[in-house]
């Protein structure tokens, strides 16, 4: 069964704007990860946040995690056309960190 | 060198046929996975192997049989293909020690006619 659910399903913004995507999950986790998928390609890992962390930054990416609400957000600042892709959150199972579950993803389109 | 490589990239076949998809990783990872991505982009875990041992086996029809001859290879064999098997199948690998960051292959698009 799916663990994470991203929203919105699709997001369209202009270059230079910020993009925020959200993820909700159902069970306790050890960590939450965000991945990116360009059209016709495999997923690429972007950033990982552990369950005892609340915020993490990596370049133009900012991830937050609220374990009490079982939710996370991914913020991409100063977006570029090259950021156009689908973004997925993935969570492991607290009892089995190899059990990685993904949501359906948010399709981000950044218009030049 | 490609870290996780899958073959074939595209596969078009008739209903009822049997087909295999192969996956190899050169990262030295202990754990390998098969995921299925449907037309709505849902990515669903199918199987996971750790050092040739099956550790995750989701509710997948027994027409799907994974085989791991060694920890660098995880193949997926599908018998009696059905229309609903059409999807993109992704292989991934990860180190066994947490945190579990996955490296994905480029995917194998299976079309069943």
């Amino acid at each position: 069964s799916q663990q994470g659910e991203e929203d919105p399903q699709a997001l369209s913004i202009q270059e230079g704007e910020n993009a925020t995507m959200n993820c909700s999950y159902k069970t306790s986790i050890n960590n939450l990860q965000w991945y990116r998928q360009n059209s016709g390609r495999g997923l690429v890992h972007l950033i990982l946040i552990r369950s005892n962390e609340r915020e993490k930054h990596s370049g133009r990416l900012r991830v937050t995690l609220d374990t009490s609400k079982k939710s996370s957000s991914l913020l991409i600042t100063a977006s570029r056309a090259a950021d156009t892709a689908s973004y997925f959150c993935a969570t492991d199972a607290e009892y089995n960190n190899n059990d990685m579950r993904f949501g359906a993803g948010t399709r981000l389109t950044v218009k030049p | 060198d490609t870290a996780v490589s899958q073959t074939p990239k595209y596969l078009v076949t008739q209903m009822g046929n049997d087909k295999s998809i192969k996956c190899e990783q050169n990262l030295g990872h202990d754990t390998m996975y098969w995921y299925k991505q449907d037309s709505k982009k849902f990515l669903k875990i199918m199987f996971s192997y750790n050092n040739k041992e099956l550790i995750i086996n989701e509710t997948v029809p027994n027409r799907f049989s994974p085989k791991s001859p060694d920890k660098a290879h995880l193949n997926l064999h599908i018998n009696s293909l059905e229309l609903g098997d059409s999807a993109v199948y992704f292989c991934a690998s990860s180190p066994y020690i947490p945190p579990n960051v996955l490296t994905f292959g480029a995917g194998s698009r299976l079309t069943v006619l």
Side-chain angles (χ1 to χ4, degrees):
Chain A
S1 61
Q2 299 305 116
Q3 162 74 314
E5 290 184 12
E6 289 93 341
D7 85 272
Q9 288 186 341
L11 180 61
S12 182
I13 59 174
Q14 292 295 134
E15 217 168 19
E17 293 179 342
N18 295 342
T20 300
M21 289 159 269
N22 303 297
C23 167
S24 60
Y25 57 92
K26 296 171 186 169
T27 61
S28 296
I29 60 173
N30 296 303
N31 62 69
L32 184 144
Q33 303 177 40
W34 285 91
Y35 287 76
R36 166 192 168 127
Q37 183 181 31
N38 285 79
S39 182
R41 309 290 289 273
L43 280 74
V44 175
H45 178 257
L46 293 176
I47 192 166
L48 178 150
I49 186 164
R50 299 177 194 273
S51 59
N52 61 356
E53 297 175 312
R54 291 297 164 257
E55 188 171 312
K56 203 158 182 183
H57 297 256
S58 176
R60 294 184 296 112
L61 304 180
R62 174 178 167 254
V63 171
T64 62
L65 179 64
D66 186 336
T67 52
S68 66
K69 295 181 179 177
K70 291 188 169 59
S71 67
S72 172
S73 68
L74 171 68
L75 169 67
I76 303 174
T77 60
S79 63
R80 305 166 182 167
D83 295 328
T84 294
S86 292
Y87 292 83
F88 294 83
C89 70
T91 54
D92 64 351
E94 193 177 32
Y95 60 87
N96 182 358
N97 69 286
N98 291 115
D99 190 350
M100 295 293 296
R101 306 279 169 148
F102 288 78
T106 292
R107 173 71 190 167
L108 173 66
T109 302
V110 182
K111 300 175 185 174
Chain B
D1 277 348
T2 304
V4 180
S5 58
Q6 301 179 222
T7 54
K9 190 169 173 62
Y10 299 98
L11 190 51
V12 180
T13 189
Q14 299 287 332
M15 262 175 43
N17 284 349
D18 303 339
K19 290 294 176 187
S20 293
I21 307 172
K22 296 186 176 182
C23 179
E24 176 181 1
Q25 55 97 1
N26 62 7
L27 298 167
H29 287 167
D30 291 304
T31 308
M32 295 186 72
Y33 307 78
W34 279 109
Y35 283 86
K36 177 182 180 181
Q37 187 172 46
D38 63 22
S39 58
K40 295 184 179 178
K41 302 298 183 187
F42 281 107
L43 196 65
K44 183 177 177 182
I45 191 168
M46 299 174 70
F47 302 103
S48 176
Y49 272 73
N50 181 62
N51 208 3
K52 301 192 297 176
E53 277 195 46
L54 183 65
I55 56 173
I56 293 172
N57 184 357
E58 277 298 280
T59 309
V60 175
N62 57 16
R63 298 182 294 104
F64 290 78
S65 53
K67 281 189 174 50
S68 182
D70 55 60
K71 75 174 194 176
H73 296 84
L74 180 61
N75 304 322
L76 183 65
H77 188 75
I78 315 170
N79 289 329
S80 304
L81 279 157
E82 301 177 356
L83 294 176
D85 298 332
S86 295
V88 182
Y89 293 85
F90 285 98
C91 178
S93 71
S94 69
Y96 186 64
I97 298 171
N100 198 28
V101 174
L102 273 63
T103 301
F104 280 83
S108 297
R109 181 175 292 276
L110 172 65
T111 303
V112 182
L113 303 175

